[in-house]
């Protein structure tokens, strides 16, 4: 079940997410070039419905990304984060 806010928010790759803002995983890409990568991300907990948060981005270039999913924190390369499709979880606290 998804929240109404998640239904209205645009879907974007996790690599494009803003640090410090919460997101919900919608899907993992599964094209033939990324099947193993998507399976590994799913094993780590990047599953549809899970809440994720980018804690920090590396400098320069913005990678790796420090990402929290559940109680665990992972460092993801941009190519890995591109496989995770997310929507912003907006608490409705303003614009």
């Amino acid at each position: 079940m998804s929240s109404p806010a998640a239904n209205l928010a645009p879907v974007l790759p996790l690599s494009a997410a803003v640090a410090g803002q919460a997101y919900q995983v919608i899907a993992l890409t599964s094209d033939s070039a990324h099947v193993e990568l998507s399976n590994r991300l799913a094993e780590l907990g990047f599953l549809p419905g899970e809440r994720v948060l980018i804690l920090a981005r590396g400098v320069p270039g913005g990678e790796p990304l420090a990402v929290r999913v559940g109680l665990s924190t992972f460092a993801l390369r941009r190519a890995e984060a591109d496989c995770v499709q997310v929507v912003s979880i907006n608490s409705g606290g303003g614009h």
Side-chain angles (χ1 to χ4, degrees), residues 25-82:
V25 176
I26 298 300
L28 297 172
T29 58
S30 59
D31 61 43
S32 60
H34 296 105
V35 170
E36 288 185 29
L37 185 54
S38 293
N39 288 341
R40 174 143 167 74
L41 289 165
E43 290 172 358
L44 293 175
F46 291 89
L47 298 169
E50 284 294 325
R51 183 180 172 132
V52 295
L53 176 70
I54 294 183
L55 301 174
R57 292 177 179 270
V59 177
E63 67 177 327
L65 289 80
V67 181
R68 174 160 293 164
V69 58
L71 298 175
S72 300
T73 302
F74 301 98
L76 299 182
R77 293 173 291 179
R78 183 179 306 274
E80 295 166 330
D82 282 343

